[in-house]
């Protein structure tokens, strides 16, 4: 249902929905896509996305144990509903390395700050059952531990805020302005595109913004309810940054050591240069943000156009070099 606003969702909600979807489809062979989407309160695109994941689930990766679900665009068919039945196969057995990995991960997740206490207790009960079933294999896991980086705590707080529909206060580092700012945001969803981000409605700018979790210096869950306006979620399959045709055009020339720019930045064209480098044409709503790219490239690249941006990048490079030389002299 193109254009229909989509309600906020998180990983826990999606997992619960997909578990319910398995039962629903098993009891309704040939169900119509529009009927199933309506029953679960989601868009048809969300449903199709779930259907792309379900065939990778099952009791094992052996033939016949994975869910054989497909669609002709109008109806959904499950060809092997017995795959999850009591008659399906022998009970699932975990190998020693699988049990170790599962137990280490479960214990690590249970220590995440911001995790709801009910979820923590449920995880600990499940961990105890796996330990009992694993027997001797559980011993190795007790000698291993995992410590999450700070992003893990931020992720847990954001996920909790989304689940409980509460507003967040954050101190956020903006590399384009090289500053920390304080914001109140209404989180909409967590997304992973290379890094993990929270898409949210920013109360300071009164607009939708995307924040990278590892740039969140401090976070608090507020008592105020989260109330983002209804927005259509963007399709991020092509990447987080998706320049528009009307965005300003920037031309960057890079040497052989800077060819990676064409792999990390969406661009209109990348023409080969005689020295093995590239002349890259790209669009961005914020050309000034590319000054940092120019500084990072150093001798491996330069901004060619527009002229004022090229001069701004050269001036920033001269100032940075002068500051470096001054620090060296002072020492």
């Amino acid at each position: 249902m193109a254009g229909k606003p989509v309600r906020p969702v998180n990983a826990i909600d999606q997992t619960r929905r997909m578990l319910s979807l398995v039962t629903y489809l098993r009891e309704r062979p040939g169900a119509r896509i529009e009927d199933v989407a309506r029953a679960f309160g989601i868009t048809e695109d969300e449903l199709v996305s779930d259907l792309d994941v379900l065939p990778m689930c099952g009791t094992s990766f052996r033939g016949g144990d994975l869910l054989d679900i497909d669609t002709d665009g109008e109806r959904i068919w499950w060809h092997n509903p017995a795959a999850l039945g009591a008659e399906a196969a022998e009970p699932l057995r975990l190998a020693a390395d699988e049990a170790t990995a599962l137990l280490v991960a479960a214990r690590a997740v249970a220590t995440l700050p911001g995790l709801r206490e009910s979820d923590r207790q449920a995880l600990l009960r499940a961990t105890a059952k796996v330990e009992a079933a694993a027997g001797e294999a559980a011993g190795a896991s007790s000698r291993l531990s995992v410590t999450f980086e700070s992003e893990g705590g931020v992720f847990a707080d954001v996920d909790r805020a989304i689940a409980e529909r509460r507003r967040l206060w954050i101190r956020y580092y903006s590399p384009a302005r090289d500053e920390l700012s304080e914001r109140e945001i209404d989180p909409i969803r967590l997304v992973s595109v290379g890094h993990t981000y929270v898409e949210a409605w920013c109360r300071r700018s009164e607009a939708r913004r995307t924040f990278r979790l590892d740039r969140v210096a401090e976070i608090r869950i507020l008592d105020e309810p989260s109330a983002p306006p209804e927005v259509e979620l963007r399709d991020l399959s092509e990447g987080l940054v998706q320049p528009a045709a009307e965005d300003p055009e920037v031309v960057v020339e890079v040497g052989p050591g800077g060819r990676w720019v064409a792999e990390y930045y969406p661009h209109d064209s990348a023409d080969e240069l005689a020295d093995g480098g590239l002349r890259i044409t790209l669009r961005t709503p914020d050309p000034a943000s590319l000054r940092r790219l120019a500084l990072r490239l150093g001798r491996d690249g330069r901004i060619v156009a527009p002229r004022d941006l090229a001069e701004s990048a050269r001036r920033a490079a001269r100032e940075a070099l002068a500051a470096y030389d001054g620090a060296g002299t002072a020492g």
Side-chain angles (χ1 to χ4, degrees), residues 127-187:
T127 303
K129 292 179 180 178
V130 174
E131 287 178 335
E136 294 182 1
S141 69
S142 64
R143 296 189 292 272
L144 299 172
S145 64
V146 172
T147 301
F148 286 102
E149 299 292 337
S150 59
E151 180 182 315
V154 174
F155 181 98
D157 283 341
V158 173
D159 185 64
R160 178 184 170 190
I162 292 174
E164 298 179 2
R165 302 184 183 278
R166 291 165 64 184
R167 187 170 298 176
L168 287 167
W169 173 89
I170 61 173
R171 290 182 67 235
Y172 187 75
Y173 174 69
S174 175
R177 293 185 294 273
D178 191 25
E179 68 177 18
L180 282 167
S181 61
E182 296 184 8
R183 305 163 184 257
E184 287 190 8
I185 62 173
D186 292 339

Coordinates of all heavy atoms in Angstrom, one line a residue, residues 127-187:
T127 N 18.4 -18.9 29.1 CA 19.8 -19.2 29.2 C 20.0 -20.4 30.1 O 20.8 -21.3 29.8 CB 20.6 -18.0 29.7 OG1 20.4 -16.9 28.8 CG2 22.1 -18.3 29.7
A128 N 19.3 -20.4 31.2 CA 19.5 -21.5 32.2 C 19.0 -22.8 31.5 O 19.6 -23.9 31.7 CB 18.6 -21.2 33.4
K129 N 18.0 -22.8 30.7 CA 17.5 -24.0 30.1 C 18.5 -24.5 29.0 O 18.7 -25.7 28.9 CB 16.1 -23.7 29.4 CG 15.0 -23.5 30.4 CD 13.7 -23.2 29.7 CE 12.6 -22.9 30.7 NZ 11.3 -22.6 30.0
V130 N 19.1 -23.6 28.3 CA 20.1 -24.0 27.3 C 21.3 -24.5 28.0 O 21.9 -25.5 27.6 CB 20.5 -22.7 26.5 CG1 21.7 -23.1 25.5 CG2 19.3 -22.2 25.6
E131 N 21.7 -24.0 29.1 CA 22.8 -24.5 29.9 C 22.6 -26.0 30.3 O 23.4 -26.8 30.2 CB 23.1 -23.7 31.2 CG 23.8 -22.3 30.9 CD 23.9 -21.5 32.1 OE1 23.2 -21.7 33.1 OE2 24.8 -20.6 32.1
A132 N 21.4 -26.2 30.8 CA 21.0 -27.5 31.3 C 21.0 -28.5 30.1 O 21.5 -29.7 30.2 CB 19.6 -27.5 31.9
A133 N 20.5 -28.1 28.9 CA 20.5 -29.0 27.8 C 21.9 -29.2 27.2 O 22.2 -30.2 26.6 CB 19.6 -28.4 26.7
A134 N 22.8 -28.2 27.3 CA 24.1 -28.3 26.7 C 25.0 -29.2 27.4 O 26.0 -29.7 26.9 CB 24.7 -26.9 26.5
G135 N 24.8 -29.3 28.7 CA 25.6 -30.2 29.5 C 27.1 -29.7 29.6 O 27.3 -28.6 29.9
E136 N 28.0 -30.6 29.2 CA 29.4 -30.3 29.3 C 29.8 -29.1 28.4 O 30.7 -28.3 28.7 CB 30.3 -31.5 29.0 CG 30.2 -32.6 30.0 CD 31.1 -33.8 29.6 OE1 31.8 -33.6 28.6 OE2 31.1 -34.8 30.4
A137 N 29.1 -28.9 27.3 CA 29.4 -27.9 26.4 C 29.2 -26.5 27.0 O 29.8 -25.5 26.6 CB 28.5 -28.0 25.1
A138 N 28.4 -26.4 28.1 CA 28.1 -25.1 28.7 C 29.3 -24.7 29.5 O 29.5 -23.5 29.8 CB 26.9 -25.2 29.6
G139 N 30.2 -25.6 29.9 CA 31.4 -25.2 30.7 C 32.3 -24.3 30.0 O 32.8 -23.3 30.6
A140 N 32.5 -24.5 28.7 CA 33.4 -23.6 28.0 C 32.9 -22.2 28.0 O 33.6 -21.2 28.0 CB 33.7 -24.1 26.6
S141 N 31.6 -22.0 27.8 CA 31.0 -20.7 27.7 C 31.2 -19.9 29.0 O 31.3 -18.6 28.9 CB 29.5 -20.8 27.4 OG 28.8 -21.3 28.5
S142 N 31.3 -20.5 30.1 CA 31.4 -19.8 31.4 C 32.8 -19.1 31.5 O 33.0 -18.3 32.4 CB 31.2 -20.7 32.6 OG 32.2 -21.8 32.6
R143 N 33.8 -19.6 30.7 CA 35.1 -19.0 30.7 C 35.3 -17.9 29.7 O 36.4 -17.3 29.6 CB 36.2 -20.1 30.5 CG 36.2 -21.2 31.6 CD 37.3 -22.1 31.4 NE 37.2 -23.0 30.2 CZ 36.6 -24.1 30.2 NH1 36.0 -24.6 31.3 NH2 36.5 -24.8 29.1
L144 N 34.2 -17.6 29.0 CA 34.3 -16.5 28.0 C 33.3 -15.4 28.3 O 32.3 -15.6 29.0 CB 33.9 -17.1 26.6 CG 34.8 -18.2 26.0 CD1 34.1 -18.7 24.8 CD2 36.2 -17.7 25.8
S145 N 33.7 -14.2 27.9 CA 32.8 -13.1 28.2 C 32.9 -12.0 27.0 O 33.9 -12.0 26.4 CB 33.1 -12.4 29.5 OG 34.4 -11.8 29.5
V146 N 31.8 -11.3 26.9 CA 31.8 -10.2 25.8 C 31.4 -8.9 26.5 O 30.5 -8.9 27.3 CB 30.8 -10.6 24.7 CG1 30.6 -9.4 23.8 CG2 31.2 -11.8 24.0
T147 N 32.2 -7.9 26.2 CA 31.8 -6.5 26.7 C 31.4 -5.7 25.5 O 32.2 -5.5 24.5 CB 33.0 -5.9 27.3 OG1 33.4 -6.7 28.4 CG2 32.6 -4.5 27.9
F148 N 30.2 -5.1 25.5 CA 29.7 -4.3 24.5 C 30.4 -2.9 24.5 O 30.6 -2.4 25.6 CB 28.2 -4.1 24.5 CG 27.5 -5.4 24.1 CD1 26.9 -6.2 25.0 CD2 27.3 -5.7 22.8 CE1 26.2 -7.4 24.6 CE2 26.6 -6.8 22.4 CZ 26.1 -7.6 23.3
E149 N 30.6 -2.3 23.3 CA 31.0 -0.9 23.3 C 29.9 -0.1 23.8 O 28.7 -0.5 24.0 CB 31.4 -0.6 21.9 CG 32.6 -1.4 21.3 CD 33.9 -1.1 22.0 OE1 34.0 0.0 22.6 OE2 34.8 -2.0 22.0
S150 N 30.1 1.2 24.0 CA 29.1 2.1 24.5 C 27.9 2.2 23.6 O 26.8 2.4 24.1 CB 29.7 3.5 24.6 OG 30.1 4.0 23.3
E151 N 28.0 1.9 22.3 CA 26.9 1.9 21.4 C 25.8 0.9 21.9 O 24.6 1.0 21.7 CB 27.3 1.6 20.0 CG 26.2 1.5 19.0 CD 26.6 1.2 17.6 OE1 27.7 1.7 17.2 OE2 26.0 0.4 16.9
G152 N 26.3 -0.2 22.6 CA 25.3 -1.2 23.0 C 24.3 -0.7 24.0 O 23.1 -1.0 23.9
G153 N 24.8 0.1 24.9 CA 23.9 0.7 25.9 C 22.9 1.7 25.2 O 21.7 1.8 25.6
V154 N 23.4 2.5 24.3 CA 22.6 3.4 23.5 C 21.5 2.6 22.8 O 20.3 3.0 22.8 CB 23.4 4.3 22.6 CG1 22.5 5.1 21.7 CG2 24.4 5.1 23.3
F155 N 21.9 1.5 22.1 CA 20.9 0.7 21.4 C 19.8 0.2 22.3 O 18.6 0.3 21.9 CB 21.7 -0.5 20.7 CG 20.8 -1.4 19.9 CD1 20.7 -1.3 18.5 CD2 20.0 -2.3 20.5 CE1 19.9 -2.1 17.8 CE2 19.2 -3.2 19.8 CZ 19.1 -3.0 18.4
A156 N 20.2 -0.2 23.5 CA 19.2 -0.8 24.4 C 18.2 0.3 24.8 O 17.0 0.1 24.9 CB 19.9 -1.4 25.6
D157 N 18.7 1.5 25.1 CA 17.9 2.6 25.5 C 16.9 3.0 24.4 O 15.7 3.3 24.6 CB 18.7 3.8 26.0 CG 19.3 3.6 27.4 OD1 18.7 2.8 28.1 OD2 20.2 4.3 27.7
V158 N 17.5 3.1 23.2 CA 16.6 3.5 22.0 C 15.5 2.4 21.8 O 14.4 2.7 21.6 CB 17.5 3.7 20.8 CG1 16.6 3.9 19.5 CG2 18.4 4.8 20.9
D159 N 15.9 1.1 21.8 CA 15.0 0.1 21.6 C 13.9 0.1 22.7 O 12.7 -0.1 22.4 CB 15.7 -1.3 21.6 CG 14.8 -2.4 21.3 OD1 14.3 -2.5 20.1 OD2 14.6 -3.3 22.1
R160 N 14.3 0.3 23.9 CA 13.3 0.4 25.0 C 12.4 1.6 24.8 O 11.1 1.5 25.0 CB 14.0 0.6 26.3 CG 13.1 0.7 27.5 CD 13.9 0.9 28.8 NE 13.0 1.3 29.9 CZ 13.5 1.7 31.1 NH1 14.8 1.8 31.3 NH2 12.6 2.0 32.0
A161 N 12.9 2.8 24.4 CA 12.1 4.0 24.2 C 11.1 3.7 23.0 O 9.9 4.2 23.1 CB 13.0 5.2 23.8
I162 N 11.5 3.0 22.0 CA 10.6 2.7 20.9 C 9.5 1.8 21.4 O 8.3 2.0 21.1 CB 11.3 2.1 19.7 CG1 12.3 3.1 19.1 CG2 10.4 1.6 18.7 CD1 13.2 2.5 18.0
A163 N 9.8 0.8 22.1 CA 8.9 -0.2 22.6 C 7.9 0.5 23.6 O 6.7 0.2 23.6 CB 9.6 -1.4 23.3
E164 N 8.4 1.4 24.4 CA 7.5 2.0 25.4 C 6.9 3.3 24.9 O 6.2 4.0 25.7 CB 8.3 2.2 26.7 CG 8.8 0.9 27.3 CD 9.6 1.1 28.6 OE1 9.7 2.3 29.0 OE2 10.0 0.1 29.2
R165 N 7.3 3.7 23.7 CA 6.8 5.0 23.1 C 7.1 6.2 24.0 O 6.2 7.0 24.3 CB 5.3 4.9 22.8 CG 4.9 3.7 21.9 CD 3.4 3.7 21.5 NE 3.1 2.6 20.7 CZ 3.2 2.5 19.4 NH1 3.7 3.5 18.7 NH2 2.9 1.4 18.7
R166 N 8.4 6.3 24.3 CA 8.8 7.4 25.1 C 9.9 8.3 24.4 O 10.6 7.8 23.5 CB 9.4 6.9 26.5 CG 8.3 6.3 27.4 CD 8.9 5.5 28.5 NE 9.7 6.3 29.4 CZ 10.4 5.7 30.4 NH1 10.3 4.4 30.6 NH2 11.1 6.5 31.2
R167 N 9.9 9.5 24.8 CA 10.9 10.5 24.2 C 12.3 10.3 24.7 O 12.4 9.8 25.8 CB 10.4 11.9 24.4 CG 11.2 13.0 23.7 CD 10.5 14.4 23.8 NE 9.2 14.3 23.2 CZ 8.3 15.3 23.2 NH1 8.6 16.4 23.8 NH2 7.1 15.2 22.6
L168 N 13.3 10.7 23.9 CA 14.7 10.6 24.3 C 15.3 11.9 24.4 O 15.0 12.8 23.5 CB 15.4 9.7 23.4 CG 15.2 8.2 23.4 CD1 15.8 7.5 22.2 CD2 15.7 7.6 24.7
W169 N 16.2 12.1 25.3 CA 17.1 13.3 25.3 C 18.5 12.7 25.0 O 19.0 11.7 25.6 CB 17.2 13.9 26.7 CG 18.2 15.0 26.8 CD1 18.1 16.3 26.6 CD2 19.6 14.8 27.3 NE1 19.2 17.0 26.8 CE2 20.2 16.1 27.2 CE3 20.3 13.7 27.7 CZ2 21.5 16.3 27.6 CZ3 21.6 13.9 28.1 CH2 22.2 15.2 28.0
I170 N 19.2 13.4 24.1 CA 20.6 12.9 23.7 C 21.5 14.1 23.6 O 21.1 15.2 23.3 CB 20.6 12.2 22.4 CG1 20.1 13.0 21.2 CG2 19.8 10.9 22.5 CD1 20.2 12.4 19.8
R171 N 22.8 13.9 23.8 CA 23.9 14.8 23.5 C 24.6 14.1 22.3 O 25.1 13.0 22.4 CB 24.9 15.0 24.6 CG 24.3 15.8 25.8 CD 25.3 16.0 26.9 NE 26.4 16.9 26.4 CZ 27.7 16.6 26.5 NH1 28.0 15.4 27.0 NH2 28.6 17.4 26.1
Y172 N 24.6 14.8 21.2 CA 25.0 14.2 19.9 C 26.1 14.9 19.3 O 26.1 16.2 19.2 CB 23.8 14.1 18.9 CG 24.0 13.4 17.7 CD1 24.1 12.0 17.7 CD2 24.2 14.0 16.5 CE1 24.3 11.3 16.5 CE2 24.5 13.3 15.3 CZ 24.5 12.0 15.3 OH 24.7 11.3 14.2
Y173 N 27.1 14.2 18.8 CA 28.3 14.8 18.1 C 28.0 14.9 16.6 O 27.7 13.9 16.0 CB 29.5 14.0 18.3 CG 30.7 14.5 17.5 CD1 31.3 15.7 17.8 CD2 31.2 13.8 16.5 CE1 32.4 16.2 17.1 CE2 32.3 14.2 15.7 CZ 32.8 15.4 16.0 OH 33.9 15.9 15.2
S174 N 28.1 16.1 16.1 CA 27.9 16.3 14.6 C 29.3 16.6 14.0 O 29.9 17.6 14.2 CB 27.0 17.5 14.4 OG 26.9 17.8 13.0
P175 N 29.8 15.6 13.2 CA 31.1 15.8 12.6 C 31.2 17.0 11.6 O 32.2 17.6 11.4 CB 31.4 14.4 11.9 CG 30.0 13.8 11.7 CD 29.2 14.3 12.8
A176 N 30.1 17.3 10.9 CA 30.1 18.3 10.0 C 30.3 19.7 10.6 O 31.0 20.6 10.1 CB 28.7 18.4 9.2
R177 N 29.8 19.9 11.9 CA 30.0 21.1 12.6 C 31.0 21.0 13.7 O 31.4 21.9 14.4 CB 28.7 21.6 13.2 CG 27.7 22.0 12.1 CD 26.4 22.6 12.8 NE 25.7 21.6 13.6 CZ 24.8 20.8 13.1 NH1 24.5 20.8 11.8 NH2 24.2 19.9 13.8
D178 N 31.5 19.7 13.9 CA 32.5 19.4 15.0 C 32.0 20.0 16.3 O 32.8 20.7 17.0 CB 33.9 20.0 14.6 CG 35.0 19.5 15.5 OD1 34.8 18.4 16.1 OD2 36.0 20.2 15.7
E179 N 30.8 19.6 16.7 CA 30.3 20.1 18.0 C 29.3 19.1 18.6 O 28.7 18.2 17.9 CB 29.5 21.4 17.8 CG 28.3 21.4 16.9 CD 27.6 22.7 16.8 OE1 28.2 23.7 17.0 OE2 26.4 22.7 16.4
L180 N 29.1 19.2 19.9 CA 28.0 18.5 20.6 C 26.8 19.3 20.8 O 26.9 20.5 21.1 CB 28.6 18.0 21.9 CG 29.5 16.8 22.0 CD1 30.2 16.7 23.4 CD2 28.8 15.5 21.7
S181 N 25.7 18.7 20.5 CA 24.4 19.5 20.7 C 23.4 18.6 21.5 O 23.6 17.4 21.5 CB 23.8 19.8 19.4 OG 23.5 18.6 18.6
E182 N 22.5 19.3 22.2 CA 21.5 18.6 23.0 C 20.2 18.6 22.2 O 19.8 19.6 21.7 CB 21.3 19.2 24.4 CG 22.6 19.2 25.2 CD 22.4 19.7 26.6 OE1 21.2 20.1 26.9 OE2 23.3 19.9 27.4
R183 N 19.5 17.5 22.2 CA 18.3 17.4 21.5 C 17.3 16.5 22.2 O 17.7 15.5 22.9 CB 18.5 16.8 20.1 CG 19.5 17.5 19.2 CD 20.0 16.6 18.1 NE 21.0 17.2 17.3 CZ 20.8 17.8 16.1 NH1 19.6 17.9 15.6 NH2 21.8 18.3 15.4
E184 N 16.0 16.7 22.0 CA 15.0 15.8 22.4 C 14.4 15.2 21.1 O 14.0 16.0 20.2 CB 13.9 16.5 23.2 CG 14.3 16.8 24.6 CD 13.2 17.3 25.5 OE1 12.0 17.2 25.0 OE2 13.5 17.8 26.6
I185 N 14.3 13.9 21.0 CA 13.8 13.2 19.8 C 12.7 12.2 20.1 O 12.7 11.6 21.2 CB 15.0 12.5 19.1 CG1 15.6 11.4 20.0 CG2 16.1 13.5 18.7 CD1 16.7 10.6 19.2
D186 N 11.9 12.0 19.2 CA 10.8 11.0 19.3 C 11.3 9.8 18.3 O 11.2 10.0 17.1 CB 9.5 11.5 18.8 CG 8.9 12.5 19.8 OD1 9.3 12.5 21.0 OD2 8.0 13.3 19.4
P187 N 11.8 8.7 18.9 CA 12.4 7.7 18.0 C 11.3 7.0 17.2 O 10.2 6.7 17.7 CB 13.0 6.7 19.0 CG 12.3 6.9 20.3 CD 11.9 8.4 20.3

